[in-house]
Amino acid sequence: MDSDSEPVRFDTKIAVLLRDDLEVWQRLNVASFLVSGIGQRAPEVIGEPYADADGTEYLPMFRQPVLIFEGSKETLTKAYERAISRGVALSVFTADLFATGNDRDNRAAVRAVRAADLDLAGMAVYGPRGVVDKIVKGARMHP
């Protein structure tokens, strides 16, 4: 078996954890926002640009899967605490952001609340696979 036919196993993981009481539109919106900063913080996760047989070029995407999990508000709080204590790349989306309409107001809404009081709707983490697994422990794969 040559190296091109062997399964690819990444030593890092991208995981999104969403609160299980969100509406479907909220889940999609939150997940999209949460992963948007990972490529800027960790450019190695971005693959090569795509192109079709006609030569039309497309934007590059993550080179590895993004795993989506869900859990209760308490599960998110525990995962957040684990992520902070382990120092991994982390993004957060708070319930307050559903009432804002732009990036400046989003940042101000997060900045106005102490870390212990954040009303997390979701979070995304990127880091070593084993560390991320420990962070999302207790959450379940999103259906």
Side-chain angles (χ1 to χ4, degrees), residues 18 22-34 142:
L18 303 171
L22 299 177
E23 298 290 330
V24 172
W25 74 266
Q26 291 174 315
R27 291 172 189 236
L28 295 169
N29 184 269
V30 171
S32 298
F33 270 94
L34 287 170
H142 192 282

Side-chain angles (χ1 to χ4, degrees), residues 49-129:
Y50 286 72
D52 62 28
D54 296 322
T56 305
E57 293 188 18
Y58 305 100
L59 293 171
M61 295 186 279
F62 290 128
R63 65 180 176 94
Q64 65 190 86
V66 176
L67 302 173
I68 310 288
F69 296 86
E70 68 174 4
S72 66
K73 186 174 183 172
E74 294 76 22
T75 301
L76 258 77
T77 299
K78 289 177 187 173
Y80 171 82
E81 292 166 354
R82 290 184 202 122
I84 292 295
S85 72
R86 287 168 171 81
V88 299
L90 167 69
S91 57
V92 297
F93 192 104
T94 66
D96 295 331
L97 302 187
F98 290 121
T100 61
N102 62 74
D103 187 50
R104 182 189 66 237
D105 292 343
N106 287 351
R107 288 191 318 275
V110 174
R111 189 179 312 110
V113 180
R114 295 179 54 87
D117 298 324
L118 291 172
D119 184 8
L120 295 172
M123 59 181 269
V125 292
Y126 169 73
R129 187 175 57 239

